[in-house]
Amino acid sequence: MNRRIRANATRTTAVAALLTVGIALTGNAAAVANPAGDRATDHAAFTSPTGSRLESVTEIDERHLVLHVYSASMQRVVPVYVQRPADTSAARPTLYFLDGAIRREKTDVEEFLADENVNVVSPVGGEDAYWTDWKEPDPNLGVNKWRTFMTEELPPIVDDALDTNGINAVAGMSRVGTAALQLAIAKPGLYNGVALYSGCANISDPLGHAIVKLSMGQYGQGNPDNMYGPAGDPEWAANDPYVNAEKLRGTELFISTGNGLPGRYETLDGPHIDGSPATLFRQLYAGGAIEAVSNYCTHRLADRLTELDVPATYSFRNNGTHSWGYWNDDFHDSWPVLARALGI
């Protein structure tokens, strides 16, 4: 484990132990021991310029931990899952894999990257809010300032706490893939690489807006009017990766989608179907329809990037629904692009 994390946490059990940053308070100042050079490190080093801070760390094992990060903009603590690099003897880059709960459970991203020298960082909580800043608080989702969290608050804390080299990439699937692109256009240069699996970039046109509304109704139960305003509000276009595709210039891009037709994973023994005919039926019909729309959106984005002469790596599968088995394959296929962006 990174020496800074070790220096600022106390193990309380062998596995899944709650750690707290060891702080020596003097008035309003705080300091922690740093074995590297036997010098004190100001606790402010773990506080972002916005006032967000690393509150505590839960250690799962030598490679896996959870950072509990207080977001000043949302006034809440956000759990951030981390897999440390295979070799921590030098500063390493960071892959932000959105989000930290179900997508970690449904894919083999951690196992696949177990031998790689990369920090895998997966924050939890913004998936239903598209990882963006909402214009208004939402009755169901509360205050959402996830773009601020992901672009201003979290990165400096991650870089300092994990002793990274400051090189980042971001990846996501479905609506979270759309969010990954939105984060990339929100702060060009923060992420050297972006991978989008079966997302819809053009959120401000009628079809794209309908997809966001459908997704919000099915998962987040939030009101999309509280996100960027009602349909037609300029904020939708301002946050649309298709409209703002020029801001992706210079970023390594991997973009993939199926076409909605049944493929290798539409079987009772397919990934996460678990022999359930009802689950298979939903994957065939609902997953097929959603992936067909993703296919349309992705081809539109490809046309736009080609028009702008912005290079990207594409994977247009000739079958496949909106489902986990294909996204896991897409992640594997995207790794050479992400690795190049990360300098691995």
Side-chain angles (χ1 to χ4, degrees), residues 75-116:
Q75 298 185 30
R76 70 174 88 168
V77 175
V78 178
V80 181
Y81 287 86
V82 175
Q83 176 172 280
R84 300 291 281 124
D87 178 2
T88 58
S89 63
R92 305 299 186 186
T94 302
L95 171 64
Y96 287 88
F97 189 75
L98 305 176
D99 62 285
I102 190 170
R103 284 161 179 79
R104 288 173 60 254
E105 298 167 1
K106 299 282 191 178
T107 67
D108 69 355
V109 58
E110 291 191 340
E111 294 87 349
F112 184 78
L113 297 179
D115 296 329
E116 299 290 347

Side-chain angles (χ1 to χ4, degrees), residues 8 84 94 111 119-120 133 138 178 180 216 227 247-249 269 290 301:
N8 294 286
R84 300 291 281 124
T94 302
E111 294 87 349
N119 295 286
V120 183
D133 284 7
D138 187 83
T178 302
M216 200 70 66
M227 186 161 72
K247 293 182 179 180
L248 297 171
R249 188 178 302 279
D269 60 353
I290 295 171
L301 176 62

